[in-house]
Amino acid sequence: MAGHSKFKNIQHRKGAQDRKRAQLFSKLGREITVAAKMGGGDPNMNARLRLAVANAKVQSMPRDNIEKAIQKGIGGGDLSNYVEMRYEGYGPGGVAVIVDALTDNKNRTAGEVRALFSKSGGNLGETNSVSFMFDRIGEIIYPASVAGADAMFEAALEAGASNVESGSHHEITTTPDDFAAVRSVLVAKFGEPEKSGLVWKPNVMASANEEQAGDVLELIDALEENDDVQTVTTNVEVSDQIMEKLMAAG
């Protein structure tokens, strides 16, 4: 029976991983479709589409899926009218949370996001209720293996980056306006990054104990399970010891 239980557990894990991967591809595809609809289907002439396609390729999204998503955007195959929405609020322990979404039904998505905040013990706020605790920046991340810290620092700063931090990865930050240009220079020199995009970076951190941190992670997971939600950002600061306990328990 032990072997049978182990097999079922492996199946369950694989099923969960497959669902998460399918959901990831769906969200990547939605961003590609919206980008193509807004700026045309040629990545060379559409910076947002170029970034969306690059991020999809990094996640090993099949080429056919990418092409279908582009055709939906330019060929009228997708009748949905997606709009970008941003939701702000406070999660467990008073941590600030920003949720970016692409939705074809604002009322539905707002209701679902509000319900998840309420269930976690938090509350959805008004526009700009927490965004002042974050800075909008461009972020480009490379593995440490692509270049030494000095070489990456020099290349990134010469390209116009605001800052470079190197450790297990190189994390390059830019202003939103400089992001596309800096990314283009670094891609030409080092290839495609592991991750890149415009992100929210906390400028005020909120500490959390083990219980609060666990509740925040549950809220993030629940939000990311929503098909309309693209990204979730919080200013929670969790110690390594607490994170290790939560990872071991989960």
Side-chain angles (χ1 to χ4, degrees), residues 50-107:
R50 184 164 61 249
L51 177 61
V53 169
N55 286 338
K57 287 180 176 178
V58 167
Q59 295 296 333
S60 301
M61 185 172 176
R63 183 182 297 272
D64 286 349
N65 294 33
I66 293 173
E67 290 299 325
K68 287 177 182 177
I70 292 175
Q71 289 304 314
K72 279 185 178 181
I74 64 175
D78 181 13
L79 301 179
S80 302
N81 186 24
Y82 291 113
V83 293
E84 295 176 307
M85 297 298 298
R86 178 164 298 134
Y87 306 98
E88 303 179 27
Y90 291 93
V95 304
V97 183
I98 295 180
V99 180
D100 285 307
L102 280 174
T103 178
D104 58 354
N105 187 322
K106 293 188 286 185
N107 291 334

Side-chain angles (χ1 to χ4, degrees), residues 138-142 161 170-174 178-184 186-187 192-197:
E139 182 182 69
I140 305 165
I141 296 177
Y142 279 97
H170 301 293
E171 181 180 325
I172 301 99
T173 57
T174 76
D178 291 338
F179 168 73
V182 173
R183 186 184 185 282
S184 179
L186 295 181
V187 166
E192 290 290 342
E194 278 190 2
K195 183 179 178 183
S196 64

Side-chain angles (χ1 to χ4, degrees), residues 27 30 87 99-102 109 113 116 222-232:
K27 294 185 179 188
R30 184 176 296 191
Y87 306 98
V99 180
D100 285 307
L102 280 174
T109 306
V113 170
L116 291 173
L223 287 166
E224 290 181 341
E225 283 289 318
N226 187 288
D227 289 337
D228 297 332
V229 172
Q230 295 292 100
T231 61
V232 182

Side-chain angles (χ1 to χ4, degrees), residues 9-60:
N9 188 43
I10 291 171
Q11 279 190 319
H12 174 72
R13 284 185 186 176
K14 184 178 186 303
Q17 290 169 349
D18 288 345
R19 285 194 299 275
K20 284 193 173 183
R21 193 156 190 79
Q23 188 176 51
L24 173 62
F25 287 167
S26 175
K27 294 185 179 188
L28 291 168
R30 184 176 296 191
E31 170 62 19
I32 290 170
T33 295
V34 170
K37 186 177 291 186
M38 292 176 61
D42 183 357
N44 294 318
M45 303 296 292
N46 183 339
R48 179 168 175 171
L49 178 61
R50 184 164 61 249
L51 177 61
V53 169
N55 286 338
K57 287 180 176 178
V58 167
Q59 295 296 333
S60 301

Side-chain angles (χ1 to χ4, degrees), residues 140-157 163-173 190:
I140 305 165
I141 296 177
Y142 279 97
S145 58
V146 302
D150 289 343
M152 180 59 75
F153 182 85
E154 291 176 8
L157 267 291
N163 190 40
V164 182
E165 294 183 9
S166 296
S168 59
H169 288 76
H170 301 293
E171 181 180 325
I172 301 99
T173 57
F190 301 113

Side-chain angles (χ1 to χ4, degrees), residues 140 175 198:
I140 305 165
T175 65
L198 296 179

